[in-house]
Amino acid sequence: MIKFKHVYKIYEKDIKALDDISFEIKSGELVFITGPSGAGKTTILNLLYREDTPAMGTILVNNTDISHLKGSKIAKYRRSIGFVFQDFKLLFDRCVFDNIALPLEIIKANTQYIKNAVMEYIKKIGLLGKEKLNPWHLSGGEKQKVAIARALITSPSIILADEPTGNLDDFSAWEIITMLTDANKKGATVVIATHNKEIISRVGGKVIKLDKGRIV
Ligand SMILES: Nc1ncnc2c1ncn2[C@@H]1O[C@H](COP(=O)(O)OP(=O)(O)OP(=O)(O)O)[C@@H](O)[C@H]1O
Ligand SMILES: [Mg+2]
């Protein structure tokens, strides 16, 4: 369960990125966060990832106030989350395979298991034969798919996806959304920030609509 209670995020010069935000997301729910550019979508996901803490208010995840987590507890908490970043955040000093394998290496999964699981995802995202390439050489859409595979590879209980279809054509966008909805069907709580109204209306689910840091 994810609960925002009267959350404010204020950047310097009094920019209120979030202005008294309260909502609840139940475990296993699929939720879209929508709203125009600058509305605060990425800010909400960053707070949930404990990348940042609110100026005021409480963020509970499974009854833990995540703002109070420190050091190794933050790292442990993040292991329960798959994050698809708006700018991918792929690592360009390693190949596609190693990018997707990273979360499994962090949890010290067995080498053979990693090999099988990563190759299965590489097949699923249509990049078979490109696993040894540096992601630098991939198209924008292919990079996005690698970012999605990396977020899903450990079957996390919470998946946060920031504009995951931003760079994709309709067909690829739908493939990505299907990967996220499949993870949701298997029980993950999935939160997707997107401008794409067509996807929201096709998928359904709960919608949190933001404008200028407020829920509208
Ligand atoms: N580090 C920062 N310093 C100052 N202001 C920031 C910072 N990060 C975000 N903001 C401001 O907070 C507001 C919300 O930004 P946010 O990135 O959450 O919007 P968004 O809804 O994700 O937009 P987009 O659809 O363009 O991704 C914006 O006005 C932005 O300029
Ligand atoms: Mg954003």
Side-chain angles (χ1 to χ4, degrees), residues 21 41 47 51-52 77 106 118 127 156-157 162 172 174 204 210:
I21 295 291
K41 303 181 295 294
L47 288 173
E51 185 95 350
D52 219 339
Y77 166 69
I106 290 171
V118 173
L127 289 184
S157 56
D162 198 354
S172 301
W174 199 247
L210 294 176

Side-chain angles (χ1 to χ4, degrees), residues 10 19 31 57 119 170 177 181 199 208 210 213:
I10 298 158
D19 185 4
V31 176
M119 287 316 291
D170 287 352
I177 290 298
T181 52
I199 283 175
I208 297 171
L210 294 176

Side-chain angles (χ1 to χ4, degrees), residues 11-12 15-17 35-44 86 162-163 195 210:
Y11 289 109
E12 67 256 55
I15 301 169
K16 267 192 198 164
S37 199
K41 303 181 295 294
T42 298
T43 305
I44 287 183
Q86 192 160 14
D162 198 354
E163 211 60 73
H195 290 113
L210 294 176

Side-chain angles (χ1 to χ4, degrees), residues 25-26 28-32 180-181 184 188-192 203-207:
I25 296 172
K26 294 190 185 73
E29 238 180 339
L30 172 71
V31 176
F32 289 101
L180 292 169
T181 52
N184 173 250
T189 307
V190 177
V191 184
I192 304 172
V203 174
K206 182 162 149 179
V207 180

Side-chain angles (χ1 to χ4, degrees), residues 10-182:
I10 298 158
Y11 289 109
E12 67 256 55
K13 294 188 202 125
D14 291 341
I15 301 169
K16 267 192 198 164
L18 298 180
D19 185 4
D20 195 10
I21 295 291
S22 299
F23 61 81
E24 205 176 309
I25 296 172
K26 294 190 185 73
S27 289
E29 238 180 339
L30 172 71
V31 176
F32 289 101
I33 301 179
T34 186
S37 199
K41 303 181 295 294
T42 298
T43 305
I44 287 183
L45 297 185
N46 284 343
L47 288 173
L48 262 176
Y49 196 51
R50 188 51 177 83
E51 185 95 350
D52 219 339
T53 50
M56 270 192 296
T58 312
I59 301 171
L60 296 174
V61 177
N62 298 330
N63 295 318
T64 298
D65 184 339
I66 59 166
S67 308
H68 294 156
L69 295 177
K70 299 228 160 30
S72 65
K73 291 232 169 92
I74 297 176
K76 187 165 177 254
Y77 166 69
R78 286 199 186 133
R79 269 179 240 140
S80 66
I81 296 180
F83 202 125
V84 185
F85 297 92
Q86 192 160 14
D87 56 359
F88 317 144
K89 290 203 202 307
L90 295 179
L91 302 171
F92 293 108
D93 60 350
R94 60 195 77 192
C95 66
V96 165
F97 182 100
D98 290 341
N99 265 275
I100 299 174
L102 191 67
L104 288 173
E105 275 159 11
I106 290 171
I107 60 169
K108 298 192 166 56
N110 164 288
T111 313
Q112 192 57 43
Y113 175 81
I114 294 179
K115 192 161 183 230
N116 295 342
V118 173
M119 287 316 291
E120 199 175 303
Y121 262 100
I122 284 175
K123 245 184 251 163
K124 205 184 237 178
I125 61 176
L127 289 184
L128 208 54
K130 296 192 172 172
E131 60 272 14
K132 287 290 160 207
L133 279 186
N134 187 295
W136 184 255
H137 299 295
L138 301 180
S139 72
E142 288 171 339
K143 286 192 191 91
Q144 184 67 294
K145 288 178 184 173
V146 172
I148 300 269
R150 182 183 58 185
L152 298 182
I153 192 86
T154 54
S155 306
S157 56
I158 298 175
I159 296 159
L160 308 175
D162 198 354
E163 211 60 73
T165 60
N167 292 285
L168 304 179
D169 59 75
D170 287 352
F171 182 76
S172 301
W174 199 247
E175 283 182 320
I176 294 295
I177 290 298
T178 305
M179 286 171 78
L180 292 169
T181 52
D182 282 351

